[in-house]
Amino acid sequence: MWSWTSALVGAASATAAAAIISAKPRDPTFHVISITLNSLKLNFPVLDAELILTIHITNPNIVPIHYSSTEMSIFYDGSLLGSAHIDAGSQPAKSGRILRLPARLNGLELAHHAAKFFADVRQREMVLDAAVDIQGAAKVLWWDHKFKVHVDSHVVVDPVFLDVIDQENKAEMEVLLV
């Protein structure tokens, strides 16, 4: 038998279920757009490079996020080559944002991999890996829900023109219950 009470309870249940499903935290996405050489500095006997990494970040969640500053580690041939600084900031719900990250690469570390680097220059393909942990909070009503995102990036670049040829980025978000 149909009744208004049953219909209202059913509608409320469906609305609550939809809210829970849409509120489930989703991993952000990252995409390296470009790498720009900013400067070369002589650090005898090698050159250190300063770059600008332009990255597009998407927050697919229904709430804005706030995150603390951190450092991204950049690896070449399994060795730490340099780092990029990420300033603290925020990002609105369901939005994309472009970040320009200053990065510094250690020329001495690159010199330790000179044979591989020159082979990569000849082939016009250089593989860089990066890893970063970002911590922050998403505010839902009056509660801050803390989270941690770990991002691993595998980027293939042309070492001559610094064009991004290919990339694979994996982000894993963990909601902290603290």
Side-chain angles (χ1 to χ4, degrees):
M1 177 175 215
W2 189 87
S3 73
W4 281 105
T5 304
S6 298
L8 289 175
V9 168
S13 298
T15 302
I20 290 171
I21 290 169
S22 68
K24 178 182 176 234
R26 294 184 178 95
D27 293 342
T29 59
F30 297 83
H31 182 80
V32 179
I33 297 172
S34 67
I35 301 171
T36 307
L37 181 64
N38 205 26
S39 70
L40 291 173
K41 293 188 177 180
L42 181 60
N43 187 6
F44 193 76
V46 295
L47 291 172
D48 288 339
E50 291 185 2
L51 308 169
I52 300 294
L53 305 176
T54 303
I55 299 174
H56 183 263
I57 301 175
T58 302
N59 173 15
N61 295 293
I62 62 170
V63 295
I65 58 170
H66 304 279
Y67 51 89
S68 59
S69 65
T70 190
E71 293 288 320
M72 174 190 299
S73 299
I74 302 169
F75 300 91
Y76 176 66
D77 198 27
S79 297
L80 181 63
L81 182 60
S83 63
H85 181 73
I86 301 172
D87 288 326
S90 63
Q91 185 160 342
K94 294 198 174 270
S95 68
R97 164 179 246 159
I98 303 259
L99 292 181
R100 287 175 177 65
L101 308 177
R104 173 170 276 156
L105 302 183
N106 183 329
L108 184 58
E109 188 58 46
L110 190 58
H112 290 195
H113 301 276
K116 175 152 179 46
F117 176 70
F118 288 120
D120 288 350
V121 168
R122 274 191 305 277
Q123 293 176 358
R124 304 274 306 266
E125 280 192 9
M126 179 179 184
V127 176
L128 296 172
D129 293 302
V132 65
D133 289 312
I134 303 169
Q135 294 188 2
K139 192 166 195 125
V140 179
L141 298 175
W142 50 86
W143 291 298
D144 278 342
H145 295 277
K146 295 184 187 292
F147 66 86
K148 179 176 149 183
V149 176
H150 178 80
V151 181
D152 287 313
S153 296
H154 181 82
V155 182
V156 180
V157 300
D158 176 342
V160 176
F161 295 112
L162 297 178
D163 293 331
V164 177
I165 299 168
D166 191 23
Q167 64 185 292
E168 181 180 340
N169 301 291
K170 295 179 188 171
E172 292 181 13
M173 184 167 49
E174 175 185 353
V175 177
L176 306 174
L177 301 174
V178 181

